[in-house]
Amino acid sequence: MARCLSFSPVAVLALGAVLGAASDVLELGDSDFDSTASQHGTMLVEFFAPWCGHCQKLAPEYEAAATRLRGVVALAKVDCTANSETCARFGVNGYPTLKIFRNGDDSSAYDGPRSADGIVSHMKQQAGPSSVELKTVEDLDRLIHSFDASVVGFFSDAGSAQLAEFLKAAAVLRDSYRFAHTSTPELLHRNQIQGEAVVLFRPPHLNSKFEDSSVRYTEAISTRSLRRFIKENIFGMCPHLTNENKEQLMGRDLLTVFFDVDYLRNPKGSNYWRNRVMKVASRFVSEGLSLSYAIADRSDFSYELSEFGLGAVEGELPVVTLRTAAGEKYAMQEEFTRDGKALERFLEDYFARKLKRYMKSEPVPENNDGPVKVVVAETFDEIVHDDSKDVLIEFYAPWCGHCKNLEPKYHELGEKLANDPNIVIAKMDATANDVPPNYDVQGFPVLYFVPKGSKESPKRYEGGREVSDFISYLKREATSTPVLTPGKEDL
C-alpha cells in the first residue's frame, strides 16, 4: 500500500479537533490493544497516522459508522506514530490500514467500502453469530434502538423446534438482515408473546404515526417464508433510500423524494419532510393503488437527479421523481408544498395516467434527409416503431473509437438503401438520449433490427460490420426484399 505524504500543521490541528470530540471509536495503543481487542467478538481497527490525508478523509465516515454500529460491532483506531510496536506487529506499512479482529486475533484485512454506509453494511455481515441471544430487557432495547431493522424470534425454550428453524434461516440470511432470539420469559411477556413468534422491529428513527413500528410474522418458520416476510415488510411505507439498499428498492415502481436527509445530525428535520410524504402516501396505499415510496439525500443521488434533467438542485424544498420498473420516468414540475397538496396532485395525475413522461432527449433535427436517419428520444417511437418500416438502428457514443470506425460503412449502407421505401437505416447517440428499456445497450456500438409487425421484440444484430454483412443480414431478415440503389451493389 502506498504511503501518504505529510499534510500541513493546520490540517493536523483540524483533525485533532475532530478526534478530541466525544467519539464511539475506541482509541487503542500498545498498552491496552490486546486486552481490549480480546473482549470483542468482532472489531474493526483502523491503523492511522494523524498527518495522513487519506486518514483525515476517512475520519468522519469512520466516526459515523461507529455511531451506527454501537452495540453491534466495535470500531477502534490505533495512532501508529505513537504506538509503533502494535502497528509493526500487525504488519502495517501504509495508512490507513484496516483489519478485522475476532476475539483479539487478526482475522483478515478489511476490503470493504470506506464510506459510512459501506462500512456499516460490510461489518454487519462480519459480526458475531448469525442470531444474537437476548437475555435481558437491556439486550433487546440495545438491539432495536439502532439504525437498522431487527428480526427477533421469541421462543418458549432453548430446545424449541421453531428456534432451530429460525437459526437455520438466520444463517442463510445474515448477510442481508439482523437476527436475534430469546427464551427469556420477561421478554416474551413484555412483548405480549403467547407461545412463540417472530417480530420485525423497524428502526426507531423511522417510526411514524402512519405505520406500525413492528410487524409480527405468523407462519410456521422456514427460510423461504421468513425471507419473503422480511422482504415485504422491512422497508415499511417510506424507507430511506441509500447507496447500500438501492438495488433492493429501485427495481420497482418507485416515487423518490429528494432533500437534505441526515439522520445522524438532523433526524427531526429529516422526518419533517418524510412525514409529509407518508401522509400523502398513506391515502393512496389505503385506496389499494400500488406504488413504492422513498426519501433520499439529494447529494448522494445527484447522478439520479441528472437522469431527470434536474441537475444541481438547490434550496430546502424537496424534489420528486418517479421511475417505474419498466424504465418510464416522471418528474414533479410543481414546487413541493408543505401541506403535501402538490405531491397529492402529482400522484393523482400519475394514477390517472395524465402525466407526461420525462425523456432525456437531444433536440429533434431540423433536417433529417440523410441516408442514415438521426433518432432522438422524442422521435424514437415515430421512426423506429413505425410499423410500416423495417428499421436497423445503431446505438453509439460520440467518443467511441469502434463507432467512428463503423460510421463510413454505416453511411454507405444507408446510401445503398436510400431508395428502399420499406427499410430505414438509423442511429441514435445513446449518451444523450434515453434508450427504451427493451434495448440492452451497455457498450458501443450496439445495433438492433426492428421489423415491422414485431416492434415490441427488437432483434440484437450480432453479425459482421462490413457493408456486405449488413446487406446479407437484411436480405435474410427483412420483411420484404431490400431495394438497393442501382449500380452500387458489390456482392
Side-chain angles (χ1 to χ4, degrees):
M1 181 183 296
R3 291 182 178 273
C4 295
L5 298 176
S6 61
F7 278 70
S8 69
V10 174
V12 175
L13 288 173
L15 178 63
V18 173
L19 299 179
S23 171
D24 289 307
V25 177
L26 303 174
E27 293 190 50
L28 305 181
D30 291 340
S31 62
D32 62 353
F33 185 93
D34 290 339
S35 59
T36 303
S38 64
Q39 298 174 22
H40 296 275
T42 303
M43 183 169 70
L44 177 63
V45 180
E46 176 200 5
F47 297 92
F48 76 101
W51 45 258
C52 165
H54 296 300
C55 304
Q56 294 170 20
K57 182 178 179 181
L58 175 62
E61 300 290 332
Y62 201 68
E63 290 283 348
T67 298
R68 291 172 57 182
L69 287 167
R70 184 172 53 209
V72 181
V73 179
L75 266 64
K77 60 187 177 185
V78 177
D79 180 352
C80 289
T81 64
N83 301 279
S84 57
E85 179 185 334
T86 300
C87 296
R89 183 153 54 99
F90 293 112
V92 177
N93 55 18
Y95 308 117
T97 291
L98 289 95
K99 290 179 174 287
I100 297 172
F101 287 78
R102 298 189 189 278
N103 299 311
D105 294 327
D106 181 1
S107 174
S108 64
Y110 172 86
D111 59 359
R114 299 203 173 183
S115 64
D117 283 344
I119 294 170
V120 169
S121 176
H122 190 91
M123 291 309 300
K124 282 193 300 183
Q125 296 176 20
Q126 298 291 323
S130 56
S131 178
V132 178
E133 184 177 6
L134 307 176
K135 296 182 178 180
T136 67
V137 170
E138 290 74 22
D139 288 343
L140 178 60
D141 286 343
R142 192 180 306 114
L143 177 80
I144 65 178
H145 287 86
S146 69
F147 269 79
D148 300 288
S150 307
V151 182
V152 181
F154 297 87
F155 302 97
S156 55
D157 62 71
S160 165
Q162 284 289 278
L163 172 57
E165 290 299 319
F166 180 83
L167 295 177
K168 286 181 186 178
V172 173
L173 303 174
R174 66 172 292 169
D175 285 354
S176 301
Y177 311 112
R178 293 199 308 158
F179 294 89
H181 61 278
T182 184
S183 301
T184 302
E186 181 183 4
L187 294 182
L188 272 70
H189 177 74
R190 184 190 180 197
N191 289 274
Q192 301 178 337
I193 305 296
Q194 295 182 350
E196 300 181 331
V198 175
V199 180
L200 186 156
F201 293 91
R202 294 187 174 121
H205 71 282
L206 295 180
N207 285 353
S208 166
K209 66 180 181 180
F210 297 105
E211 65 180 349
D212 294 333
S213 59
S214 64
V215 188
R216 188 170 295 199
Y217 173 78
T218 57
E219 299 179 42
I221 297 174
S222 71
T223 300
R224 182 176 180 181
S225 62
L226 190 58
R227 177 193 282 117
R228 183 178 64 250
F229 165 78
I230 298 171
K231 186 176 180 180
E232 290 174 353
N233 292 281
I234 192 166
F235 290 120
M237 185 189 299
C238 185
H240 176 196
L241 175 69
T242 68
N243 282 310
E244 301 305 315
N245 64 26
K246 65 181 180 182
E247 297 301 324
Q248 296 169 277
L249 287 170
M250 294 182 76
R252 58 183 76 180
D253 295 349
L254 179 67
L255 178 139
T256 309
V257 181
F258 298 89
F259 56 97
D260 294 330
V261 180
D262 189 339
Y263 277 105
L264 278 176
R265 299 174 182 84
N266 187 20
K268 185 176 180 180
S270 298
N271 275 329
Y272 175 84
W273 292 115
R274 179 173 178 265
N275 285 334
R276 277 144 185 78
V277 175
M278 293 187 73
K279 181 179 180 180
V280 174
S282 62
R283 173 204 147 181
F284 295 95
V285 171
S286 68
E287 294 175 5
L289 296 170
S290 179
L291 184 65
S292 297
Y293 303 85
I295 61 167
D297 182 60
R298 70 178 89 211
S299 63
D300 288 344
F301 287 90
S302 56
Y303 63 89
E304 174 72 6
L305 289 170
S306 69
E307 286 293 306
F308 289 80
L310 296 173
V313 180
E314 298 181 355
E316 178 191 12
L317 294 178
V319 294
V320 180
T321 68
L322 196 162
R323 184 192 290 268
T324 70
E328 296 177 349
K329 298 188 294 185
Y330 305 90
M332 191 172 93
Q333 301 301 320
E334 187 178 355
E335 188 175 83
F336 199 102
T337 55
R338 294 178 188 273
D339 61 7
K341 293 298 183 183
L343 178 59
E344 193 169 21
R345 286 188 289 271
F346 177 74
L347 284 167
E348 287 172 344
D349 287 344
Y350 169 72
F351 288 116
R353 299 184 180 277
K354 293 181 180 179
L355 289 181
K356 181 181 178 182
R357 287 172 53 189
Y358 171 79
M359 288 190 294
K360 181 173 70 173
S361 179
E362 292 180 290
V364 176
E366 293 183 7
N367 187 326
N368 203 10
D369 296 329
V372 177
K373 303 303 178 187
V374 176
V375 177
V376 298
E378 288 188 12
T379 62
F380 196 93
D381 282 341
E382 175 188 339
I383 297 175
V384 180
H385 290 164
D386 178 354
D387 210 35
S388 67
K389 310 280 188 183
D390 290 339
V391 179
L392 181 68
I393 181 167
E394 175 203 3
F395 297 95
Y396 73 95
W399 43 260
C400 166
H402 296 297
C403 303
K404 292 176 182 178
N405 290 336
L406 176 61
E407 184 176 5
K409 299 173 185 177
Y410 203 63
H411 185 85
E412 182 182 343
L413 174 66
E415 288 182 328
K416 286 183 176 291
L417 292 164
N419 294 324
D420 192 320
N422 303 308
I423 299 177
V424 174
I425 306 302
K427 65 178 181 179
M428 186 170 91
D429 180 352
T431 67
N433 297 276
D434 278 341
V435 177
N438 53 338
Y439 294 83
D440 183 18
V441 178
Q442 299 186 29
F444 302 105
V446 172
L447 293 99
Y448 275 89
F449 178 65
V450 194
K452 57 185 177 182
S454 301
K455 295 298 181 178
E456 297 306 313
S457 303
K459 301 177 181 179
R460 188 175 179 120
Y461 175 81
E462 302 285 5
R465 302 293 172 86
E466 298 296 330
V467 176
S468 58
D469 296 321
F470 290 121
I471 292 176
S472 295
Y473 177 86
L474 292 171
K475 284 183 175 180
R476 186 171 63 252
E477 298 290 338
T479 55
S480 57
T481 303
V483 178
L484 298 173
T485 302
K488 292 194 175 182
E489 183 175 7
D490 51 8
L491 294 180

mmCIF file of all heavy atoms in Angstrom, residues 3 6 21 27 33 46 59 109 147 160 202 224 226 228-229 235 257 351 407 487:
data_model
loop_
_atom_site.group_PDB
_atom_site.id
_atom_site.type_symbol
_atom_site.label_atom_id
_atom_site.label_comp_id
_atom_site.label_asym_id
_atom_site.label_seq_id
_atom_site.Cartn_x
_atom_site.Cartn_y
_atom_site.Cartn_z
ATOM 1 N N ARG A 3 2.316 4.874 0.757
ATOM 2 C CA ARG A 3 2.290 5.717 1.945
ATOM 3 C C ARG A 3 1.768 7.096 1.591
ATOM 4 O O ARG A 3 1.948 7.586 0.486
ATOM 5 C CB ARG A 3 3.702 5.845 2.543
ATOM 6 C CG ARG A 3 4.206 4.537 3.142
ATOM 7 C CD ARG A 3 5.568 4.738 3.762
ATOM 8 N NE ARG A 3 6.046 3.524 4.388
ATOM 9 C CZ ARG A 3 5.770 3.160 5.626
ATOM 10 N NH1 ARG A 3 4.999 3.932 6.361
ATOM 11 N NH2 ARG A 3 6.233 2.031 6.128
ATOM 12 N N SER A 6 2.932 13.853 3.982
ATOM 13 C CA SER A 6 2.548 14.633 5.150
ATOM 14 C C SER A 6 1.711 15.830 4.743
ATOM 15 O O SER A 6 1.822 16.342 3.633
ATOM 16 C CB SER A 6 3.801 15.096 5.898
ATOM 17 O OG SER A 6 4.586 15.921 5.071
ATOM 18 N N ALA A 21 -13.321 15.293 20.024
ATOM 19 C CA ALA A 21 -14.729 15.296 20.362
ATOM 20 C C ALA A 21 -15.143 13.919 20.883
ATOM 21 O O ALA A 21 -14.433 12.938 20.735
ATOM 22 C CB ALA A 21 -15.550 15.671 19.135
ATOM 23 N N GLU A 27 -10.103 4.237 21.177
ATOM 24 C CA GLU A 27 -8.704 4.594 20.933
ATOM 25 C C GLU A 27 -7.823 3.589 21.675
ATOM 26 O O GLU A 27 -7.836 3.528 22.896
ATOM 27 C CB GLU A 27 -8.420 6.015 21.407
ATOM 28 C CG GLU A 27 -9.139 7.078 20.602
ATOM 29 C CD GLU A 27 -8.654 8.478 20.944
ATOM 30 O OE1 GLU A 27 -7.419 8.689 20.953
ATOM 31 O OE2 GLU A 27 -9.503 9.345 21.220
ATOM 32 N N PHE A 33 -4.066 -2.682 23.703
ATOM 33 C CA PHE A 33 -4.670 -3.236 22.484
ATOM 34 C C PHE A 33 -5.138 -4.672 22.701
ATOM 35 O O PHE A 33 -6.301 -5.015 22.441
ATOM 36 C CB PHE A 33 -3.686 -3.179 21.315
ATOM 37 C CG PHE A 33 -4.313 -3.641 20.023
ATOM 38 C CD1 PHE A 33 -4.898 -2.721 19.164
ATOM 39 C CD2 PHE A 33 -4.339 -4.988 19.666
ATOM 40 C CE1 PHE A 33 -5.502 -3.133 17.974
ATOM 41 C CE2 PHE A 33 -4.939 -5.412 18.492
ATOM 42 C CZ PHE A 33 -5.519 -4.478 17.647
ATOM 43 N N GLU A 46 -8.704 0.599 12.630
ATOM 44 C CA GLU A 46 -8.010 1.456 11.667
ATOM 45 C C GLU A 46 -6.643 1.816 12.245
ATOM 46 O O GLU A 46 -6.553 2.393 13.333
ATOM 47 C CB GLU A 46 -8.788 2.741 11.403
ATOM 48 C CG GLU A 46 -8.045 3.702 10.478
ATOM 49 C CD GLU A 46 -8.517 5.146 10.575
ATOM 50 O OE1 GLU A 46 -9.375 5.445 11.428
ATOM 51 O OE2 GLU A 46 -7.994 5.991 9.821
ATOM 52 N N ALA A 59 -11.810 9.808 8.426
ATOM 53 C CA ALA A 59 -12.187 10.016 9.827
ATOM 54 C C ALA A 59 -13.680 10.255 10.050
ATOM 55 O O ALA A 59 -14.307 9.570 10.868
ATOM 56 C CB ALA A 59 -11.366 11.148 10.427
ATOM 57 N N ALA A 109 -7.863 -8.778 6.470
ATOM 58 C CA ALA A 109 -7.844 -7.376 6.054
ATOM 59 C C ALA A 109 -9.263 -6.943 5.719
ATOM 60 O O ALA A 109 -10.070 -7.736 5.220
ATOM 61 C CB ALA A 109 -6.936 -7.199 4.844
ATOM 62 N N PHE A 147 -29.890 1.912 13.873
ATOM 63 C CA PHE A 147 -30.242 2.478 12.577
ATOM 64 C C PHE A 147 -30.811 1.444 11.610
ATOM 65 O O PHE A 147 -31.186 1.794 10.500
ATOM 66 C CB PHE A 147 -29.015 3.149 11.947
ATOM 67 C CG PHE A 147 -28.895 4.600 12.309
ATOM 68 C CD1 PHE A 147 -28.391 4.978 13.534
ATOM 69 C CD2 PHE A 147 -29.302 5.581 11.427
ATOM 70 C CE1 PHE A 147 -28.273 6.312 13.876
ATOM 71 C CE2 PHE A 147 -29.210 6.926 11.750
ATOM 72 C CZ PHE A 147 -28.692 7.293 12.986
ATOM 73 N N SER A 160 -36.711 -25.402 21.491
ATOM 74 C CA SER A 160 -37.843 -25.274 20.570
ATOM 75 C C SER A 160 -37.459 -25.668 19.145
ATOM 76 O O SER A 160 -36.422 -25.259 18.629
ATOM 77 C CB SER A 160 -38.354 -23.832 20.577
ATOM 78 O OG SER A 160 -39.197 -23.584 19.476
ATOM 79 N N ARG A 202 -38.864 -2.182 13.148
ATOM 80 C CA ARG A 202 -38.304 -1.180 12.245
ATOM 81 C C ARG A 202 -37.443 -0.198 13.025
ATOM 82 O O ARG A 202 -37.637 -0.008 14.230
ATOM 83 C CB ARG A 202 -39.438 -0.448 11.509
ATOM 84 C CG ARG A 202 -40.214 -1.385 10.563
ATOM 85 C CD ARG A 202 -41.211 -0.611 9.729
ATOM 86 N NE ARG A 202 -41.849 -1.478 8.744
ATOM 87 C CZ ARG A 202 -43.158 -1.699 8.663
ATOM 88 N NH1 ARG A 202 -43.980 -1.094 9.520
ATOM 89 N NH2 ARG A 202 -43.661 -2.485 7.737
ATOM 90 N N ARG A 224 -37.522 -19.859 3.422
ATOM 91 C CA ARG A 224 -38.209 -19.253 2.283
ATOM 92 C C ARG A 224 -39.300 -18.279 2.727
ATOM 93 O O ARG A 224 -39.362 -17.146 2.245
ATOM 94 C CB ARG A 224 -38.802 -20.349 1.412
ATOM 95 C CG ARG A 224 -39.499 -19.835 0.162
ATOM 96 C CD ARG A 224 -39.986 -20.999 -0.691
ATOM 97 N NE ARG A 224 -40.647 -20.533 -1.891
ATOM 98 C CZ ARG A 224 -41.175 -21.335 -2.797
ATOM 99 N NH1 ARG A 224 -41.099 -22.663 -2.638
ATOM 100 N NH2 ARG A 224 -41.760 -20.840 -3.866
ATOM 101 N N LEU A 226 -39.745 -16.882 5.719
ATOM 102 C CA LEU A 226 -39.225 -15.780 6.522
ATOM 103 C C LEU A 226 -38.557 -14.742 5.637
ATOM 104 O O LEU A 226 -38.702 -13.525 5.857
ATOM 105 C CB LEU A 226 -38.246 -16.307 7.568
ATOM 106 C CG LEU A 226 -37.802 -15.305 8.648
ATOM 107 C CD1 LEU A 226 -39.008 -14.767 9.404
ATOM 108 C CD2 LEU A 226 -36.822 -15.962 9.611
ATOM 109 N N ARG A 228 -39.364 -14.046 2.564
ATOM 110 C CA ARG A 228 -40.437 -13.320 1.904
ATOM 111 C C ARG A 228 -41.074 -12.292 2.844
ATOM 112 O O ARG A 228 -41.320 -11.146 2.459
ATOM 113 C CB ARG A 228 -41.505 -14.293 1.398
ATOM 114 C CG ARG A 228 -42.632 -13.616 0.618
ATOM 115 C CD ARG A 228 -43.644 -14.609 0.078
ATOM 116 N NE ARG A 228 -44.339 -15.318 1.146
ATOM 117 C CZ ARG A 228 -44.167 -16.604 1.429
ATOM 118 N NH1 ARG A 228 -43.306 -17.328 0.727
ATOM 119 N NH2 ARG A 228 -44.837 -17.172 2.413
ATOM 120 N N PHE A 229 -41.325 -12.691 4.079
ATOM 121 C CA PHE A 229 -41.912 -11.789 5.067
ATOM 122 C C PHE A 229 -41.025 -10.560 5.299
ATOM 123 O O PHE A 229 -41.505 -9.423 5.319
ATOM 124 C CB PHE A 229 -42.120 -12.538 6.379
ATOM 125 C CG PHE A 229 -42.377 -11.641 7.565
ATOM 126 C CD1 PHE A 229 -43.617 -11.070 7.761
ATOM 127 C CD2 PHE A 229 -41.353 -11.380 8.476
ATOM 128 C CE1 PHE A 229 -43.853 -10.241 8.848
ATOM 129 C CE2 PHE A 229 -41.583 -10.549 9.567
ATOM 130 C CZ PHE A 229 -42.835 -9.976 9.756
ATOM 131 N N PHE A 235 -38.854 -2.517 4.772
ATOM 132 C CA PHE A 235 -38.677 -1.108 4.411
ATOM 133 C C PHE A 235 -39.850 -0.231 4.846
ATOM 134 O O PHE A 235 -39.714 0.979 4.926
ATOM 135 C CB PHE A 235 -38.464 -0.968 2.905
ATOM 136 C CG PHE A 235 -37.137 -1.501 2.446
ATOM 137 C CD1 PHE A 235 -37.061 -2.529 1.527
ATOM 138 C CD2 PHE A 235 -35.961 -0.976 2.947
ATOM 139 C CE1 PHE A 235 -35.842 -3.015 1.100
ATOM 140 C CE2 PHE A 235 -34.724 -1.454 2.536
ATOM 141 C CZ PHE A 235 -34.666 -2.478 1.611
ATOM 142 N N VAL A 257 -38.473 11.086 -3.026
ATOM 143 C CA VAL A 257 -38.464 12.494 -2.644
ATOM 144 C C VAL A 257 -37.063 12.829 -2.151
ATOM 145 O O VAL A 257 -36.585 12.245 -1.171
ATOM 146 C CB VAL A 257 -39.519 12.782 -1.562
ATOM 147 C CG1 VAL A 257 -39.508 14.256 -1.182
ATOM 148 C CG2 VAL A 257 -40.908 12.371 -2.054
ATOM 149 N N PHE A 351 -51.657 8.193 -11.314
ATOM 150 C CA PHE A 351 -52.576 7.056 -11.319
ATOM 151 C C PHE A 351 -53.675 7.214 -12.362
ATOM 152 O O PHE A 351 -54.228 6.213 -12.828
ATOM 153 C CB PHE A 351 -53.170 6.852 -9.923
ATOM 154 C CG PHE A 351 -52.191 6.290 -8.926
ATOM 155 C CD1 PHE A 351 -51.805 7.016 -7.813
ATOM 156 C CD2 PHE A 351 -51.638 5.030 -9.119
ATOM 157 C CE1 PHE A 351 -50.894 6.494 -6.894
ATOM 158 C CE2 PHE A 351 -50.732 4.499 -8.212
ATOM 159 C CZ PHE A 351 -50.361 5.235 -7.099
ATOM 160 N N GLU A 407 -18.713 4.248 -38.757
ATOM 161 C CA GLU A 407 -19.512 5.327 -39.360
ATOM 162 C C GLU A 407 -19.483 5.356 -40.891
ATOM 163 O O GLU A 407 -20.546 5.417 -41.528
ATOM 164 C CB GLU A 407 -19.071 6.677 -38.789
ATOM 165 C CG GLU A 407 -19.921 7.839 -39.283
ATOM 166 C CD GLU A 407 -19.534 9.156 -38.627
ATOM 167 O OE1 GLU A 407 -18.545 9.180 -37.869
ATOM 168 O OE2 GLU A 407 -20.223 10.150 -38.891
ATOM 169 N N GLY A 487 -26.527 -0.156 -59.437
ATOM 170 C CA GLY A 487 -25.096 0.029 -59.744
ATOM 171 C C GLY A 487 -24.212 0.067 -58.533
ATOM 172 O O GLY A 487 -23.005 0.186 -58.668
#
